[in-house]
């Protein structure tokens, strides 16, 4: 009989065998202990609600429901024997994950209450079976060793990435917490699933490229640098492809987006793997290129009304899920580590702002994202949580507010070179600078393609006048409705070289291009006459100027004469008295000169320089302890770190070191432990893998054929 508190993988049971009922001892997990039962594959409910089809579905589903209920009632060892060794059970579960109705799928559940009840029963039983399969410890007496459990579910394909994705779609709504614990236990006990997810992501990304290709849109990320042949078959666009193909394409996109969102929403730990594949940028780019094309095709084509409504509903659902996927990735890879105070907080802030910068190119995606998850709320939250990052976040928030107010989504009217932040390397970066020049060049090119006779300087003046709206500029030029200030300009005028130049000596006292008058007394040719080195060294004029300046405050005194003055008035004149009982300290805390009116520009410049200096100073003070230079480290510490990295890499790859084997045992006649007996059996069974060159296997083969007497 079964022993208490022994894991199932080490448990042995004694059962009667054969017609005579002889007892034999078998491992608890053995194919002979499986019950002979045929599980039927699942078929979805009929959509039209035909009575004959409904009756057929109910009869078929009743068998599945009874079999699953019987399976869940089995004891722990019998359940796992059935799960591991019964292939019909796995086909039944796989068929339900594949064909069960999703949220937007049409189904016949509303036509018959009996069908809805039967579907709910099967749905509940399937979830309970998967939940029990993902649990390695049911009680103190019924459990499996975690390492063996990881091998069982992985090597027997009880769970894989497609199954986990389908589980999240079907059971995530209403069971998110329980499903999260279930998936978390699977990934924790068997880290190889992280590697499988990493290998699956390129296939998921390829789905977006396939949809773009079907729509006749060439993606920038496909990596196909070869030019298209002139005689190649033309790709059908979304508005010209057959009706069934377009419906399948929309269904494909909707199912993919819903599945990815359900998985990330249920198991946020996978967001880091998606980030490694640059999934967020690929998603926003796909959204910008594919969604408008598909929406246009559904609107303009004459479909069946019900089909058109279903396709439009699926496209809208896909848009919503893609935006939510982007928010989940930003939330768990950028915002949450920042709010939790992670170590590399500045790098997380940089990642967040770089993502927002990338979104600026995808104007439609950015507008839909901001409508559902306002970016200003995220920036405001970070400003409140971390005031010392205010210069960084203020610049980004101000720039985005200007971007949002502009109807075209252009950053040109509001671009400000004060939008800087401190990077991890301690240097100053300008946010959005590459995109600024890229968009300006794009606007100029779009106008000059239609109006090539216009000069670049004239076009720039028009863009500045009309808020960098290229369409408005072209329309006013063609209809001759330019403002009077623009009519006076030369339309063929090119931008002046002096107006576009940039030099470190701009606006200094010798800039003849920007100044009408120069101090010629400070300009001479060759060596300055009338001065020598000695005269220059003995020139103390600057000291006299400083002396006159500080004498105004009466704080510079060359000598203090001390004499025998009985009255003491001369000493008191220079503050030599230690204590003055009549001193009034009422205004000691006041800041003298704080209310003086300085020049506005000078005050702002001083303040800006002070903020920048303090930000750099605080940054390097915070990172001083991190940037220590260890010229020579302890070799033992280096070996320990290398061993830790090696163990972490093996853990990520799912490598498990073989258990220690002991076949020697104790002295003869005193009995051996169960572990010694199992190790000896394992060695005996695996002898042909070593240096014996399969001698034992070949000897058994010859003996079975009668070549060697038994």
């Amino acid at each position: 009989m079964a022993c208490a508190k022994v894991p199932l993988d080490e448990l042995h049971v004694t059962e009667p065998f054969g017609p005579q009922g002889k007892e034999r001892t078998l491992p608890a997990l053995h194919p002979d202990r499986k019950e002979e039962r045929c599980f039927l594959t699942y078929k979805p409910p009929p959509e039209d609600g035909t009575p004959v089809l409904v009756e057929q579905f109910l009869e078929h589903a009743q068998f599945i429901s009874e079999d699953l209920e019987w399976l869940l009632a089995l004891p722990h060892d019998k359940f796992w024997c059935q799960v591991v060794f019964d292939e019909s059970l796995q086909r039944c579960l796989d068929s339900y994950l594949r064909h069960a109705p999703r949220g937007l799928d049409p189904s016949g559940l509303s036509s018959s209450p009996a069908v809805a009840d039967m579907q709910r029963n099967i749905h509940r039983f399937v979830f309970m079976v998967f939940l029990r399969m993902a649990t390695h410890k049911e009680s103190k007496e019924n459990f499996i060793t975690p390492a063996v459990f990881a091998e069982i579910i992985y090597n027997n394909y009880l769970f894989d990435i497609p199954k986990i994705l389908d589980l999240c779609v079907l059971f995530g709504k209403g069971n998110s917490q329980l499903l999260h614990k279930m998936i978390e236990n699977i990934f924790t006990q068997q880290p190889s699933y992280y590697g499988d997810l990493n290998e699956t992501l390129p296939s998921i990304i390829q789905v977006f490229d396939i949809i773009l290709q079907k729509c006749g849109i060439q993606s920038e990320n496909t990596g196909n640098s070869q030019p298209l042949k002139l005689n190649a078959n033309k790709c059908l666009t979304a508005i010209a492809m057959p009706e069934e193909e377009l419906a399948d394409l929309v269904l494909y996109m909707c199912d993919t987006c819903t599945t990815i969102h359900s998985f990330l929403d249920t198991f946020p730990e996978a967001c880091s793997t998606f980030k490694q594949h640059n999934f967020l940028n690929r998603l926003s780019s796909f959204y910008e290129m594919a969604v408008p094309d598909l929406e246009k095709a559904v609107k303009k084509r004459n479909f069946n009304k019900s089909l058109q409504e279903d396709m439009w509903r699926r496209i809208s659902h896909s848009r919503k899920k893609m935006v939510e996927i982007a928010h989940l990735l930003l939330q768990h890879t950028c915002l949450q580590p920042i709010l939790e105070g992670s170590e590399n907080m500045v790098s997380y802030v940089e990642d967040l702002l770089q993502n927002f910068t990338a979104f600026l190119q995808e104007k439609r995606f950015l507008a839909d994202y901001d409508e559902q998850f306002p970016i200003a709320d995220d920036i405001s939250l970070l400003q409140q949580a971390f005031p010392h990052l205010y210069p960084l976040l203020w610049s980004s928030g101000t720039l985005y507010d200007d971007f949002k107010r502009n109807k075209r989504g252009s950053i040109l009217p509001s671009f400000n070179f004060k939008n800087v932040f401190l990077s991890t390397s301690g240097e100053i970066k300008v946010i959005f600078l590459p995109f600024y020049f890229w968009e300006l060049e794009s606007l100029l090119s779009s106008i000059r393609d239609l109006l090539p006779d216009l000069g670049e300087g004239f076009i720039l003046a028009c863009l500045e006048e009309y808020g960098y709206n290229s369409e408005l500029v072209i329309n006013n030029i063609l209809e001759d409705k330019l403002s009077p200030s623009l009519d006076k300009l030369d339309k063929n005028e090119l931008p002046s070289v002096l107006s576009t130049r940039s030099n470190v000596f701009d606006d200094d006292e010798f800039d003849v291009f920007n100044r009408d008058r120069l101090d010629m007394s400070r300009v001479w040719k060759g060596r300055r006459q009338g001065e020598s080195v000695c005269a220059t060294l003995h020139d103390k004029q600057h000291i006299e100027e400083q002396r006159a300046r500080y004498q105004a405050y009466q704080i510079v005194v060359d000598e203090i004469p001390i004499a025998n003055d009985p009255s003491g008035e001369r000493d008191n004149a220079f503050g030599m008295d230690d204590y003055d009982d009549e001193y009034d300290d009422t205004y000691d805390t006041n800041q003298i000169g704080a209310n003086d009116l300085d020049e506005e520009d000078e005050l702002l410049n001083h303040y800006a320089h002070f903020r920048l200096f303090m930000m750099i100073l605080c940054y390097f003070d915070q990172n001083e302890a991190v940037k220590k230079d260890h010229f020579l480290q302890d070799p033992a510490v280096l070996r320990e770190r290398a061993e830790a990295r090696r163990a972490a890499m093996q853990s990520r790859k799912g490598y498990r070191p073989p258990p220690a084997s002991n076949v020697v045992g104790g002295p003869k006649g005193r009995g051996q432990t169960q572990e010694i007996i199992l190790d000896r059996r394992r060695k005996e069974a695996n002898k042909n893998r070593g240096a014996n060159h399969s001698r034992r296997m070949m000897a058994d083969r010859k003996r079975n054929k009668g070549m060697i007497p038994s």
Side-chain angles (χ1 to χ4, degrees):
M1 300 300 293
C3 299
K5 296 185 180 181
V6 177
L8 182 62
D9 51 286
E10 300 178 3
L11 184 65
H12 286 70
V13 294
T14 302
E15 295 179 344
F17 174 74
Q20 298 179 359
K22 293 183 179 181
E23 293 186 349
R24 65 171 180 175
T25 301
L26 294 174
L29 277 177
H30 196 274
D32 293 344
R33 302 192 68 224
K34 174 180 70 70
E35 297 290 340
E36 294 298 331
R37 199 177 187 100
C38 182
F39 289 83
L40 301 178
T41 57
Y42 171 82
K43 296 180 180 179
E47 297 180 6
D48 53 1
T50 305
V52 177
L53 297 178
V54 169
E55 183 179 358
Q56 183 180 358
F57 168 78
L58 292 176
E59 182 180 1
H60 187 85
Q62 183 65 29
F63 288 118
I64 298 177
S65 178
E66 292 176 356
D67 289 341
L68 294 179
E69 188 175 8
W70 168 84
L71 177 67
L72 291 170
L74 291 177
H76 185 251
D77 56 341
K78 286 285 188 177
F79 171 82
W80 278 101
C81 287
Q82 207 72 29
V83 166
V84 174
F85 302 113
D86 193 344
E87 295 182 359
S88 66
L89 171 61
Q90 296 304 320
R91 288 194 296 268
C92 174
L93 297 176
D94 291 348
S95 64
Y96 185 82
L97 295 181
R98 185 175 302 176
H99 300 295
R102 267 63 172 172
L104 295 178
D105 292 342
S107 62
L109 301 180
S110 59
S111 61
S112 174
V115 173
D117 292 339
M118 183 60 67
Q119 177 65 25
R120 279 194 294 268
N121 288 337
I122 296 179
H123 190 79
R124 177 175 176 273
F125 287 146
V126 170
F127 180 67
M128 295 302 295
V129 170
F130 276 109
L131 186 62
R132 193 175 182 185
M133 287 167 52
T135 305
H136 68 281
K137 184 176 182 180
E138 293 185 0
S139 63
K140 294 183 178 179
E141 293 78 17
N142 300 322
F143 64 96
I144 306 176
T145 305
V148 178
F149 169 78
E151 292 184 356
I152 289 175
I153 64 174
Y154 192 77
N155 296 336
N156 294 281
Y157 298 97
L158 301 184
F159 292 97
D160 53 31
I161 298 302
K163 286 184 181 179
I164 293 174
L165 294 177
D166 288 334
L167 286 171
C168 293
V169 175
L170 291 174
F171 305 105
K173 188 176 181 180
N175 304 287
S176 58
Q177 295 183 356
L178 195 59
L179 190 60
H180 175 265
K181 292 182 180 179
M182 168 182 163
I183 299 177
E184 184 181 26
N185 186 57
I186 293 173
F187 276 82
T188 302
Q189 302 301 332
Q190 182 54 275
S192 297
Y193 284 110
Y194 280 107
D196 293 349
L197 177 62
N198 187 59
E199 295 176 358
T200 305
L201 272 175
S203 300
I204 298 177
I205 296 175
Q206 191 178 8
V207 172
F208 297 147
D209 296 334
I210 293 174
I211 296 176
L212 292 175
Q213 184 180 2
K214 292 289 185 181
C215 295
I217 303 173
Q218 187 174 2
S219 174
E220 300 176 357
N221 301 313
T222 55
N224 186 11
S225 59
Q226 298 181 355
L228 296 177
K229 297 181 180 180
L230 295 177
N231 58 352
N233 294 329
K234 296 183 179 179
C235 298
L236 292 176
T237 60
I239 202 169
M241 69 174 56
E243 180 178 320
E244 295 182 357
E245 188 174 350
L246 180 60
D248 291 341
L249 205 63
V250 173
L251 177 63
Y252 194 24
M253 179 182 67
C254 180
D255 183 65
T256 302
C257 297
T258 305
T259 302
I260 297 173
H261 173 264
S262 300
F263 175 63
L264 294 179
D265 190 31
T266 304
F267 188 61
E269 290 83 349
C271 290
S272 58
T273 307
F274 279 73
K275 180 184 177 183
Q276 295 173 5
H277 290 263
N278 199 22
F279 186 83
L280 187 56
N281 290 338
R282 299 296 295 270
L283 179 68
S284 61
S285 177
F286 170 79
Y287 187 100
E288 192 73 16
M289 290 187 289
V291 170
D293 201 45
L294 293 174
E295 286 183 343
K296 182 179 179 181
V298 174
K299 284 182 179 179
K300 292 191 174 183
R301 295 185 59 175
N302 295 324
F303 292 115
N304 186 344
K305 186 176 181 181
S306 60
L307 177 61
Q308 189 174 22
E309 291 178 354
D310 180 70
M311 293 174 62
W312 185 259
R313 183 169 63 252
R314 290 183 183 275
I315 292 177
S316 301
H317 182 77
S318 302
R319 289 178 53 187
K320 184 173 183 293
K321 292 305 175 183
M322 281 190 276
V323 171
E324 291 177 354
I325 290 171
H327 180 68
L328 285 173
L329 292 174
L330 289 176
Q331 179 72 25
H332 294 286
T333 60
C334 297
L335 289 172
Q336 187 170 340
I338 294 173
L339 297 178
E340 291 176 354
S342 302
E343 295 181 359
N344 299 325
M345 187 173 57
V346 177
S347 64
Y348 288 117
V349 176
E350 283 190 2
D351 290 341
L352 178 64
L353 296 180
Q354 287 175 1
N355 286 320
F356 288 157
T357 305
F359 290 168
L360 287 175
Q361 303 184 32
E362 322 295 348
K363 298 182 178 63
R364 184 187 183 97
F365 176 80
L366 180 60
D368 292 346
Y369 180 90
D370 183 67
E371 183 178 357
Q372 193 167 350
F373 304 102
I375 297 177
D377 293 348
D378 296 337
I379 297 178
S380 176
L381 181 64
L382 294 178
Q383 289 176 351
Q384 296 176 9
F386 302 99
H388 61 281
L389 295 177
Y390 180 79
L392 185 155
L393 301 172
W394 171 82
S395 62
S396 177
T398 304
L399 188 57
Y400 177 72
D401 291 340
D402 294 338
F403 168 86
K404 187 176 179 182
R405 284 194 294 267
N406 191 355
K407 294 181 180 180
R408 286 192 65 256
S410 172
I411 65 171
L412 290 172
S414 59
F415 186 81
N416 189 345
F417 284 90
K418 292 188 297 182
N419 296 319
V420 297
F421 68 93
L422 193 64
S423 68
T424 53
S425 59
E427 63 182 358
I428 300 299
K429 291 184 179 180
V430 179
I431 307 177
F432 311 118
L433 186 57
F435 184 70
Y436 168 79
F437 292 111
W438 173 85
E439 187 175 3
L440 181 59
E441 184 66 25
S442 176
L443 291 176
L444 289 173
S445 300
S446 63
I447 297 177
R448 298 197 70 176
D449 288 343
L450 296 175
L451 305 170
D453 297 334
L454 298 181
E456 186 175 335
F458 177 75
I459 297 176
L460 287 175
C462 293
L463 287 173
E464 185 177 358
E465 177 70 20
Y466 294 108
Y468 292 87
N469 189 332
S470 59
E471 297 177 359
L472 185 59
V473 170
I474 294 173
N475 183 69
N476 289 338
I477 292 176
L478 294 177
E479 296 183 0
D480 198 15
K481 294 182 178 180
L482 294 175
S483 60
S485 59
L486 296 176
D487 281 333
K488 298 178 182 179
L489 298 179
D490 184 6
K491 294 185 178 181
N492 298 323
E493 176 190 1
L494 294 176
S496 174
V497 177
L498 296 178
S499 62
T500 58
R501 70 164 192 161
S502 179
N503 194 284
V504 294
F505 300 108
D506 285 347
D507 297 325
D508 64 3
E509 58 178 328
F510 301 112
D511 189 357
V512 295
F513 299 107
N514 295 324
R515 291 179 178 271
D516 296 334
R517 297 181 181 180
L518 298 179
D519 186 3
M520 300 305 297
S521 63
R522 293 179 54 81
V523 180
W524 59 85
K525 182 178 180 181
R527 183 176 178 180
R528 188 173 182 178
Q529 301 297 326
E531 288 189 2
S532 62
V533 176
C534 295
T536 303
L537 294 176
H538 289 85
D539 185 5
K540 306 300 181 181
Q541 182 179 358
H542 61 286
I543 299 179
E544 296 298 330
E545 293 176 355
Q546 296 295 327
R547 185 191 306 276
R549 177 180 179 180
Y550 286 104
Q551 280 181 349
Y553 295 97
Q554 295 294 322
I555 58 174
V556 178
V557 180
D558 288 337
E559 295 180 355
I560 301 178
I562 300 177
N564 296 326
D565 188 0
S567 63
E569 294 179 358
R570 184 173 300 179
D571 295 342
N572 293 336
F574 297 101
M576 298 296 293
D577 200 356
D578 292 336
Y579 177 72
D580 184 6
D581 189 49
E582 299 299 329
Y583 178 72
D584 186 4
D585 59 355
T586 304
Y587 303 99
D588 273 2
T589 59
N590 285 8
Q591 298 180 5
I592 305 300
N595 297 323
D596 293 347
L597 295 178
D598 297 336
E599 290 293 330
E600 182 179 359
D601 294 339
E602 181 182 358
L603 185 61
L604 290 176
N605 289 336
H606 285 311
Y607 178 65
H609 291 146
F610 173 74
R611 281 180 51 189
L612 181 60
F613 172 75
M614 292 303 296
M615 183 173 62
I616 297 175
L617 184 62
C618 294
Y619 174 79
F620 284 105
D621 286 345
Q622 293 174 1
N623 292 273
E624 184 179 0
V626 182
K627 298 181 179 179
K628 292 183 178 180
D629 184 15
H630 298 282
F631 177 72
L632 184 61
Q633 298 187 11
D634 187 2
V637 176
L638 296 178
R639 287 193 296 270
E640 182 179 354
R641 292 178 181 175
E643 183 64 28
R645 289 194 301 269
R646 190 180 302 108
M649 181 180 65
Q650 292 175 351
S651 174
R652 288 194 301 268
K653 293 182 178 180
Y655 171 77
R656 185 171 65 90
S661 178
N662 183 11
V663 297
V664 178
K668 293 183 178 180
R670 298 184 182 179
Q672 304 296 337
T673 62
Q674 188 70 21
E675 289 79 5
I676 300 297
I677 296 174
L678 292 177
D679 289 340
R680 289 178 178 177
R681 289 179 181 175
R682 192 179 297 109
K683 178 182 178 182
E684 187 72 17
N686 297 323
K687 275 186 176 181
N688 58 345
R689 295 184 181 179
N692 287 326
H693 303 290
S694 305
R695 277 186 247 169
R696 184 175 183 83
M697 183 179 66
M698 298 305 295
D700 292 340
R701 182 179 179 184
K702 293 178 181 180
R703 184 178 295 106
N704 293 335
K705 291 186 177 182
M707 300 175 63
I708 301 176
S710 299

